[in-house]
Amino acid sequence: SSKDKSIPAMLKASRKVFFIREGIHTVLRDMNGKKKNVFETGSDIRIDLHYKVHEKVADAVIGIGIFNSDGVRCYGTNTRLDKLDYFDLVKDGVLTLTLRNVMLLPGIYTVDFAIEAEIAIPVDYFREAATIEIYSVKDDVGIVRIEHDWKID
């Protein structure tokens, strides 16, 4: 993408926590730990995302959005929606998110991440943190593959 993904130093200093955008900040892996960004429909995908903490974030919420090349949000969730126990971000770390049985159909998808504090107080939003390419051996069309059975009498 031609968008500048770096954070100006002044803004970086004012944030409590931010996702690392320079260098190796986001790593996509298969379930064997191999780095890759091309996956088959139905694969499991592991995402490791590094972050830095400048000041404690109480009751943190980390979210994800997956978008297709037309900008359509194909999926989104966060730690609060998934009913994870409340947690604080107090030191630098790595977020690992495992997406299971990703049924996206062939295309290029971008992954955005967000950190919020308490109830929807924005802390950081990392647009296009990762790019995933999906391929399929089937010829379905659309955005997702839906398991189905045909019966014709």
Side-chain angles (χ1 to χ4, degrees):
S1 170
S2 60
K3 297 177 195 169
D4 179 13
K5 296 180 189 172
S6 63
I7 301 176
M10 199 152 119
L11 180 57
K12 191 183 290 185
S14 70
R15 292 194 174 177
K16 292 181 176 184
V17 175
F18 64 92
F19 294 117
I20 299 172
R21 289 159 171 79
E22 300 83 18
I24 304 299
H25 49 74
T26 309
V27 178
L28 300 171
R29 299 180 190 274
D30 64 19
M31 295 317 291
N32 295 318
K34 180 180 176 195
K35 292 181 185 180
K36 61 190 288 187
N37 70 335
V38 178
F39 297 87
E40 184 175 357
T41 297
S43 294
D44 294 345
I45 301 172
R46 190 177 102 194
I47 306 172
D48 297 329
L49 182 64
H50 298 253
Y51 60 88
K52 287 195 159 294
V53 175
H54 289 293
E55 184 181 329
K56 175 182 173 180
V57 175
D59 296 335
V61 177
I62 299 177
I64 181 177
I66 300 176
F67 299 85
N68 71 7
S69 58
D70 294 326
V72 173
R73 180 179 22 209
C74 302
Y75 182 71
T77 192
N78 66 44
T79 54
R80 183 89 20 101
L81 293 173
D82 284 339
K83 309 282 190 239
L84 268 65
D85 291 337
Y86 285 47
F87 60 93
D88 300 335
L89 294 175
V90 295
K91 63 180 181 167
D92 298 356
V94 179
L95 158 74
T96 298
L97 175 66
T98 302
L99 303 172
R100 302 218 183 275
N101 195 28
V102 177
M103 295 305 288
L104 294 170
L105 287 178
I108 304 293
Y109 298 86
T110 57
V111 182
D112 293 3
F113 280 94
I115 298 176
E116 296 177 349
E118 300 168 7
I119 305 296
I121 300 169
V123 175
D124 191 13
Y125 191 91
F126 189 176
R127 187 174 310 283
E128 299 177 2
T131 300
I132 300 171
E133 182 177 347
I134 302 289
Y135 71 92
S136 178
V137 295
K138 301 192 187 277
D139 293 325
D140 297 351
V141 295
I143 296 173
V144 298
R145 174 159 178 68
I146 299 173
E147 291 297 325
H148 58 276
D149 295 304
W150 294 91
K151 181 179 179 186
I152 301 170
D153 286 329

mmCIF file with all atom_site columns, all heavy atoms in Angstrom, residues 74-90:
data_model
loop_
_atom_site.group_PDB
_atom_site.id
_atom_site.type_symbol
_atom_site.label_atom_id
_atom_site.label_alt_id
_atom_site.label_comp_id
_atom_site.label_asym_id
_atom_site.label_entity_id
_atom_site.label_seq_id
_atom_site.pdbx_PDB_ins_code
_atom_site.Cartn_x
_atom_site.Cartn_y
_atom_site.Cartn_z
_atom_site.occupancy
_atom_site.B_iso_or_equiv
_atom_site.pdbx_formal_charge
_atom_site.auth_seq_id
_atom_site.auth_comp_id
_atom_site.auth_asym_id
_atom_site.auth_atom_id
_atom_site.pdbx_PDB_model_num
ATOM 1   N N   . CYS A 1 74 ? -14.792 -8.347  5.981  1.00 0.00 ? 74 CYS A N   1
ATOM 2   C CA  . CYS A 1 74 ? -15.217 -9.747  5.891  1.00 0.00 ? 74 CYS A CA  1
ATOM 3   C C   . CYS A 1 74 ? -15.383 -10.368 7.259  1.00 0.00 ? 74 CYS A C   1
ATOM 4   O O   . CYS A 1 74 ? -16.130 -11.326 7.419  1.00 0.00 ? 74 CYS A O   1
ATOM 5   C CB  . CYS A 1 74 ? -14.185 -10.538 5.096  1.00 0.00 ? 74 CYS A CB  1
ATOM 6   S SG  . CYS A 1 74 ? -13.913 -9.884  3.445  1.00 0.00 ? 74 CYS A SG  1
ATOM 7   N N   . TYR A 1 75 ? -14.649 -9.825  8.240  1.00 0.00 ? 75 TYR A N   1
ATOM 8   C CA  . TYR A 1 75 ? -14.723 -10.372 9.586  1.00 0.00 ? 75 TYR A CA  1
ATOM 9   C C   . TYR A 1 75 ? -14.144 -9.372  10.570 1.00 0.00 ? 75 TYR A C   1
ATOM 10  O O   . TYR A 1 75 ? -13.221 -8.630  10.243 1.00 0.00 ? 75 TYR A O   1
ATOM 11  C CB  . TYR A 1 75 ? -13.937 -11.685 9.689  1.00 0.00 ? 75 TYR A CB  1
ATOM 12  C CG  . TYR A 1 75 ? -14.041 -12.313 11.059 1.00 0.00 ? 75 TYR A CG  1
ATOM 13  C CD1 . TYR A 1 75 ? -15.229 -12.890 11.488 1.00 0.00 ? 75 TYR A CD1 1
ATOM 14  C CD2 . TYR A 1 75 ? -12.970 -12.298 11.941 1.00 0.00 ? 75 TYR A CD2 1
ATOM 15  C CE1 . TYR A 1 75 ? -15.341 -13.442 12.752 1.00 0.00 ? 75 TYR A CE1 1
ATOM 16  C CE2 . TYR A 1 75 ? -13.081 -12.854 13.203 1.00 0.00 ? 75 TYR A CE2 1
ATOM 17  C CZ  . TYR A 1 75 ? -14.265 -13.419 13.606 1.00 0.00 ? 75 TYR A CZ  1
ATOM 18  O OH  . TYR A 1 75 ? -14.383 -13.953 14.858 1.00 0.00 ? 75 TYR A OH  1
ATOM 19  N N   . GLY A 1 76 ? -14.687 -9.370  11.763 1.00 0.00 ? 76 GLY A N   1
ATOM 20  C CA  . GLY A 1 76 ? -14.140 -8.549  12.831 1.00 0.00 ? 76 GLY A CA  1
ATOM 21  C C   . GLY A 1 76 ? -14.553 -9.100  14.181 1.00 0.00 ? 76 GLY A C   1
ATOM 22  O O   . GLY A 1 76 ? -15.641 -9.645  14.335 1.00 0.00 ? 76 GLY A O   1
ATOM 23  N N   . THR A 1 77 ? -13.651 -8.981  15.136 1.00 0.00 ? 77 THR A N   1
ATOM 24  C CA  . THR A 1 77 ? -13.949 -9.369  16.508 1.00 0.00 ? 77 THR A CA  1
ATOM 25  C C   . THR A 1 77 ? -12.952 -8.678  17.416 1.00 0.00 ? 77 THR A C   1
ATOM 26  O O   . THR A 1 77 ? -12.035 -8.006  16.956 1.00 0.00 ? 77 THR A O   1
ATOM 27  C CB  . THR A 1 77 ? -13.924 -10.903 16.711 1.00 0.00 ? 77 THR A CB  1
ATOM 28  O OG1 . THR A 1 77 ? -14.506 -11.211 17.992 1.00 0.00 ? 77 THR A OG1 1
ATOM 29  C CG2 . THR A 1 77 ? -12.517 -11.464 16.632 1.00 0.00 ? 77 THR A CG2 1
ATOM 30  N N   . ASN A 1 78 ? -13.154 -8.833  18.715 1.00 0.00 ? 78 ASN A N   1
ATOM 31  C CA  . ASN A 1 78 ? -12.160 -8.332  19.668 1.00 0.00 ? 78 ASN A CA  1
ATOM 32  C C   . ASN A 1 78 ? -12.210 -9.182  20.937 1.00 0.00 ? 78 ASN A C   1
ATOM 33  O O   . ASN A 1 78 ? -13.074 -10.050 21.081 1.00 0.00 ? 78 ASN A O   1
ATOM 34  C CB  . ASN A 1 78 ? -12.356 -6.834  19.965 1.00 0.00 ? 78 ASN A CB  1
ATOM 35  C CG  . ASN A 1 78 ? -13.648 -6.519  20.684 1.00 0.00 ? 78 ASN A CG  1
ATOM 36  O OD1 . ASN A 1 78 ? -14.051 -7.185  21.625 1.00 0.00 ? 78 ASN A OD1 1
ATOM 37  N ND2 . ASN A 1 78 ? -14.328 -5.464  20.236 1.00 0.00 ? 78 ASN A ND2 1
ATOM 38  N N   . THR A 1 79 ? -11.271 -8.913  21.812 1.00 0.00 ? 79 THR A N   1
ATOM 39  C CA  . THR A 1 79 ? -11.157 -9.727  23.029 1.00 0.00 ? 79 THR A CA  1
ATOM 40  C C   . THR A 1 79 ? -12.373 -9.570  23.937 1.00 0.00 ? 79 THR A C   1
ATOM 41  O O   . THR A 1 79 ? -12.727 -10.508 24.655 1.00 0.00 ? 79 THR A O   1
ATOM 42  C CB  . THR A 1 79 ? -9.870  -9.381  23.798 1.00 0.00 ? 79 THR A CB  1
ATOM 43  O OG1 . THR A 1 79 ? -9.834  -7.970  24.040 1.00 0.00 ? 79 THR A OG1 1
ATOM 44  C CG2 . THR A 1 79 ? -8.641  -9.798  23.012 1.00 0.00 ? 79 THR A CG2 1
ATOM 45  N N   . ARG A 1 80 ? -13.033 -8.437  23.906 1.00 0.00 ? 80 ARG A N   1
ATOM 46  C CA  . ARG A 1 80 ? -14.238 -8.242  24.720 1.00 0.00 ? 80 ARG A CA  1
ATOM 47  C C   . ARG A 1 80 ? -15.400 -9.039  24.138 1.00 0.00 ? 80 ARG A C   1
ATOM 48  O O   . ARG A 1 80 ? -16.136 -9.702  24.875 1.00 0.00 ? 80 ARG A O   1
ATOM 49  C CB  . ARG A 1 80 ? -14.552 -6.743  24.792 1.00 0.00 ? 80 ARG A CB  1
ATOM 50  C CG  . ARG A 1 80 ? -15.699 -6.340  25.635 1.00 0.00 ? 80 ARG A CG  1
ATOM 51  C CD  . ARG A 1 80 ? -15.469 -6.039  27.107 1.00 0.00 ? 80 ARG A CD  1
ATOM 52  N NE  . ARG A 1 80 ? -14.180 -5.718  27.615 1.00 0.00 ? 80 ARG A NE  1
ATOM 53  C CZ  . ARG A 1 80 ? -13.713 -4.507  27.910 1.00 0.00 ? 80 ARG A CZ  1
ATOM 54  N NH1 . ARG A 1 80 ? -14.444 -3.440  27.695 1.00 0.00 ? 80 ARG A NH1 1
ATOM 55  N NH2 . ARG A 1 80 ? -12.516 -4.342  28.421 1.00 0.00 ? 80 ARG A NH2 1
ATOM 56  N N   . LEU A 1 81 ? -15.584 -8.967  22.805 1.00 0.00 ? 81 LEU A N   1
ATOM 57  C CA  . LEU A 1 81 ? -16.666 -9.733  22.175 1.00 0.00 ? 81 LEU A CA  1
ATOM 58  C C   . LEU A 1 81 ? -16.481 -11.233 22.377 1.00 0.00 ? 81 LEU A C   1
ATOM 59  O O   . LEU A 1 81 ? -17.448 -11.973 22.497 1.00 0.00 ? 81 LEU A O   1
ATOM 60  C CB  . LEU A 1 81 ? -16.735 -9.429  20.674 1.00 0.00 ? 81 LEU A CB  1
ATOM 61  C CG  . LEU A 1 81 ? -17.152 -8.018  20.290 1.00 0.00 ? 81 LEU A CG  1
ATOM 62  C CD1 . LEU A 1 81 ? -17.020 -7.816  18.787 1.00 0.00 ? 81 LEU A CD1 1
ATOM 63  C CD2 . LEU A 1 81 ? -18.563 -7.712  20.760 1.00 0.00 ? 81 LEU A CD2 1
ATOM 64  N N   . ASP A 1 82 ? -15.212 -11.676 22.406 1.00 0.00 ? 82 ASP A N   1
ATOM 65  C CA  . ASP A 1 82 ? -14.914 -13.088 22.614 1.00 0.00 ? 82 ASP A CA  1
ATOM 66  C C   . ASP A 1 82 ? -14.910 -13.486 24.089 1.00 0.00 ? 82 ASP A C   1
ATOM 67  O O   . ASP A 1 82 ? -14.555 -14.606 24.432 1.00 0.00 ? 82 ASP A O   1
ATOM 68  C CB  . ASP A 1 82 ? -13.564 -13.446 21.975 1.00 0.00 ? 82 ASP A CB  1
ATOM 69  C CG  . ASP A 1 82 ? -13.667 -13.566 20.462 1.00 0.00 ? 82 ASP A CG  1
ATOM 70  O OD1 . ASP A 1 82 ? -14.781 -13.761 19.944 1.00 0.00 ? 82 ASP A OD1 1
ATOM 71  O OD2 . ASP A 1 82 ? -12.613 -13.487 19.798 1.00 0.00 ? 82 ASP A OD2 1
ATOM 72  N N   . LYS A 1 83 ? -15.291 -12.545 24.955 1.00 0.00 ? 83 LYS A N   1
ATOM 73  C CA  . LYS A 1 83 ? -15.471 -12.812 26.388 1.00 0.00 ? 83 LYS A CA  1
ATOM 74  C C   . LYS A 1 83 ? -14.191 -13.239 27.097 1.00 0.00 ? 83 LYS A C   1
ATOM 75  O O   . LYS A 1 83 ? -14.236 -14.018 28.055 1.00 0.00 ? 83 LYS A O   1
ATOM 76  C CB  . LYS A 1 83 ? -16.558 -13.864 26.631 1.00 0.00 ? 83 LYS A CB  1
ATOM 77  C CG  . LYS A 1 83 ? -17.877 -13.591 25.936 1.00 0.00 ? 83 LYS A CG  1
ATOM 78  C CD  . LYS A 1 83 ? -18.679 -12.553 26.654 1.00 0.00 ? 83 LYS A CD  1
ATOM 79  C CE  . LYS A 1 83 ? -20.087 -12.481 26.087 1.00 0.00 ? 83 LYS A CE  1
ATOM 80  N NZ  . LYS A 1 83 ? -20.462 -11.208 25.569 1.00 0.00 ? 83 LYS A NZ  1
ATOM 81  N N   . LEU A 1 84 ? -13.023 -12.731 26.640 1.00 0.00 ? 84 LEU A N   1
ATOM 82  C CA  . LEU A 1 84 ? -11.783 -12.998 27.356 1.00 0.00 ? 84 LEU A CA  1
ATOM 83  C C   . LEU A 1 84 ? -11.798 -12.250 28.675 1.00 0.00 ? 84 LEU A C   1
ATOM 84  O O   . LEU A 1 84 ? -12.454 -11.202 28.805 1.00 0.00 ? 84 LEU A O   1
ATOM 85  C CB  . LEU A 1 84 ? -10.568 -12.539 26.546 1.00 0.00 ? 84 LEU A CB  1
ATOM 86  C CG  . LEU A 1 84 ? -9.937  -13.598 25.643 1.00 0.00 ? 84 LEU A CG  1
ATOM 87  C CD1 . LEU A 1 84 ? -10.890 -14.021 24.539 1.00 0.00 ? 84 LEU A CD1 1
ATOM 88  C CD2 . LEU A 1 84 ? -8.635  -13.101 25.089 1.00 0.00 ? 84 LEU A CD2 1
ATOM 89  N N   . ASP A 1 85 ? -11.081 -12.769 29.660 1.00 0.00 ? 85 ASP A N   1
ATOM 90  C CA  . ASP A 1 85 ? -10.944 -12.059 30.926 1.00 0.00 ? 85 ASP A CA  1
ATOM 91  C C   . ASP A 1 85 ? -10.306 -10.703 30.673 1.00 0.00 ? 85 ASP A C   1
ATOM 92  O O   . ASP A 1 85 ? -9.473  -10.551 29.775 1.00 0.00 ? 85 ASP A O   1
ATOM 93  C CB  . ASP A 1 85 ? -10.056 -12.853 31.896 1.00 0.00 ? 85 ASP A CB  1
ATOM 94  C CG  . ASP A 1 85 ? -10.733 -14.127 32.382 1.00 0.00 ? 85 ASP A CG  1
ATOM 95  O OD1 . ASP A 1 85 ? -11.988 -14.208 32.342 1.00 0.00 ? 85 ASP A OD1 1
ATOM 96  O OD2 . ASP A 1 85 ? -10.006 -15.043 32.789 1.00 0.00 ? 85 ASP A OD2 1
ATOM 97  N N   . TYR A 1 86 ? -10.698 -9.721  31.464 1.00 0.00 ? 86 TYR A N   1
ATOM 98  C CA  . TYR A 1 86 ? -10.114 -8.391  31.344 1.00 0.00 ? 86 TYR A CA  1
ATOM 99  C C   . TYR A 1 86 ? -8.612  -8.495  31.610 1.00 0.00 ? 86 TYR A C   1
ATOM 100 O O   . TYR A 1 86 ? -8.174  -9.302  32.423 1.00 0.00 ? 86 TYR A O   1
ATOM 101 C CB  . TYR A 1 86 ? -10.751 -7.440  32.342 1.00 0.00 ? 86 TYR A CB  1
ATOM 102 C CG  . TYR A 1 86 ? -12.149 -6.990  31.953 1.00 0.00 ? 86 TYR A CG  1
ATOM 103 C CD1 . TYR A 1 86 ? -13.105 -7.910  31.519 1.00 0.00 ? 86 TYR A CD1 1
ATOM 104 C CD2 . TYR A 1 86 ? -12.515 -5.663  32.018 1.00 0.00 ? 86 TYR A CD2 1
ATOM 105 C CE1 . TYR A 1 86 ? -14.384 -7.512  31.164 1.00 0.00 ? 86 TYR A CE1 1
ATOM 106 C CE2 . TYR A 1 86 ? -13.793 -5.241  31.659 1.00 0.00 ? 86 TYR A CE2 1
ATOM 107 C CZ  . TYR A 1 86 ? -14.721 -6.178  31.230 1.00 0.00 ? 86 TYR A CZ  1
ATOM 108 O OH  . TYR A 1 86 ? -15.972 -5.782  30.873 1.00 0.00 ? 86 TYR A OH  1
ATOM 109 N N   . PHE A 1 87 ? -7.836  -7.666  30.910 1.00 0.00 ? 87 PHE A N   1
ATOM 110 C CA  . PHE A 1 87 ? -6.390  -7.682  31.101 1.00 0.00 ? 87 PHE A CA  1
ATOM 111 C C   . PHE A 1 87 ? -5.841  -6.272  30.928 1.00 0.00 ? 87 PHE A C   1
ATOM 112 O O   . PHE A 1 87 ? -6.489  -5.408  30.334 1.00 0.00 ? 87 PHE A O   1
ATOM 113 C CB  . PHE A 1 87 ? -5.703  -8.652  30.125 1.00 0.00 ? 87 PHE A CB  1
ATOM 114 C CG  . PHE A 1 87 ? -5.934  -8.316  28.677 1.00 0.00 ? 87 PHE A CG  1
ATOM 115 C CD1 . PHE A 1 87 ? -5.033  -7.522  27.980 1.00 0.00 ? 87 PHE A CD1 1
ATOM 116 C CD2 . PHE A 1 87 ? -7.051  -8.797  28.009 1.00 0.00 ? 87 PHE A CD2 1
ATOM 117 C CE1 . PHE A 1 87 ? -5.242  -7.203  26.645 1.00 0.00 ? 87 PHE A CE1 1
ATOM 118 C CE2 . PHE A 1 87 ? -7.274  -8.496  26.679 1.00 0.00 ? 87 PHE A CE2 1
ATOM 119 C CZ  . PHE A 1 87 ? -6.367  -7.694  25.999 1.00 0.00 ? 87 PHE A CZ  1
ATOM 120 N N   . ASP A 1 88 ? -4.660  -6.047  31.490 1.00 0.00 ? 88 ASP A N   1
ATOM 121 C CA  . ASP A 1 88 ? -3.949  -4.781  31.346 1.00 0.00 ? 88 ASP A CA  1
ATOM 122 C C   . ASP A 1 88 ? -2.726  -5.018  30.476 1.00 0.00 ? 88 ASP A C   1
ATOM 123 O O   . ASP A 1 88 ? -2.126  -6.092  30.514 1.00 0.00 ? 88 ASP A O   1
ATOM 124 C CB  . ASP A 1 88 ? -3.480  -4.249  32.704 1.00 0.00 ? 88 ASP A CB  1
ATOM 125 C CG  . ASP A 1 88 ? -4.626  -4.002  33.676 1.00 0.00 ? 88 ASP A CG  1
ATOM 126 O OD1 . ASP A 1 88 ? -5.764  -3.774  33.221 1.00 0.00 ? 88 ASP A OD1 1
ATOM 127 O OD2 . ASP A 1 88 ? -4.375  -4.047  34.896 1.00 0.00 ? 88 ASP A OD2 1
ATOM 128 N N   . LEU A 1 89 ? -2.361  -4.027  29.688 1.00 0.00 ? 89 LEU A N   1
ATOM 129 C CA  . LEU A 1 89 ? -1.096  -4.061  28.955 1.00 0.00 ? 89 LEU A CA  1
ATOM 130 C C   . LEU A 1 89 ? -0.108  -3.235  29.760 1.00 0.00 ? 89 LEU A C   1
ATOM 131 O O   . LEU A 1 89 ? -0.310  -2.035  29.951 1.00 0.00 ? 89 LEU A O   1
ATOM 132 C CB  . LEU A 1 89 ? -1.268  -3.486  27.548 1.00 0.00 ? 89 LEU A CB  1
ATOM 133 C CG  . LEU A 1 89 ? -2.171  -4.291  26.620 1.00 0.00 ? 89 LEU A CG  1
ATOM 134 C CD1 . LEU A 1 89 ? -2.370  -3.558  25.297 1.00 0.00 ? 89 LEU A CD1 1
ATOM 135 C CD2 . LEU A 1 89 ? -1.600  -5.675  26.375 1.00 0.00 ? 89 LEU A CD2 1
ATOM 136 N N   . VAL A 1 90 ? 0.950   -3.883  30.262 1.00 0.00 ? 90 VAL A N   1
ATOM 137 C CA  . VAL A 1 90 ? 1.901   -3.200  31.144 1.00 0.00 ? 90 VAL A CA  1
ATOM 138 C C   . VAL A 1 90 ? 3.337   -3.259  30.637 1.00 0.00 ? 90 VAL A C   1
ATOM 139 O O   . VAL A 1 90 ? 4.195   -2.542  31.145 1.00 0.00 ? 90 VAL A O   1
ATOM 140 C CB  . VAL A 1 90 ? 1.834   -3.765  32.585 1.00 0.00 ? 90 VAL A CB  1
ATOM 141 C CG1 . VAL A 1 90 ? 0.474   -3.475  33.200 1.00 0.00 ? 90 VAL A CG1 1
ATOM 142 C CG2 . VAL A 1 90 ? 2.125   -5.254  32.600 1.00 0.00 ? 90 VAL A CG2 1
#
